[in-house]
Amino acid sequence: MNTMLRKSVLGIAGLAFTGGVFAGPIAAHADTGPVTAKPAAVAVQADKPDSSKLIPHGVQGAQSHIDLNDEQTANAKAIIAATKKAGLPERAAVISIATSLQESKLENLG
């Protein structure tokens, strides 16, 4: 490993350790007050969200619409097929398509 890189990494690790040593006693004596968190099982909702939460305060606006060509549609279908084949949930396909749409507009760049 490069000597300069090693010194940089060790310096950053030393700073992180020193910060933890000095901040630890301060954080240990901090008054956090009563914990009022809900259990995680109550905070997490099932796949079907309440429609009143999707449009907060009843405000509705114009919905965006993206026209896809045949190549983009085929790529979206391929993403869906790959997530189904991998046994992933439907949300994984949605995230995959959203990411592909953001990064490459669902087009093969390679």
Side-chain angles (χ1 to χ4, degrees):
M1 181 185 271
N2 187 352
T3 305
M4 194 163 150
L5 178 62
R6 184 177 1 165
K7 286 182 180 180
S8 298
V9 169
L10 290 174
I12 291 170
L15 285 173
F17 175 76
T18 305
V21 167
F22 288 112
I26 295 169
H29 297 292
D31 183 22
T32 58
V35 177
T36 59
K38 293 181 181 178
V42 175
V44 177
Q45 192 172 353
D47 291 332
K48 295 182 181 181
D50 184 13
S51 62
S52 65
K53 292 181 181 178
L54 292 176
I55 305 172
H57 309 295
V59 178
Q60 294 187 6
Q63 298 293 313
S64 62
H65 182 268
I66 300 170
D67 292 320
L68 300 178
N69 62 27
D70 293 337
E71 177 191 5
Q72 292 170 314
T73 304
N75 290 337
K77 288 180 180 181
I79 290 170
I80 293 168
T83 55
K84 283 183 179 179
K85 184 177 180 183
L88 297 171
E90 194 174 285
R91 181 169 169 77
V94 172
I95 293 170
S96 300
I97 290 173
T99 303
S100 178
L101 190 60
Q102 176 68 30
E103 297 295 327
S104 66
K105 296 185 176 77
L106 280 170
E107 294 176 356
N108 279 334
L109 301 178

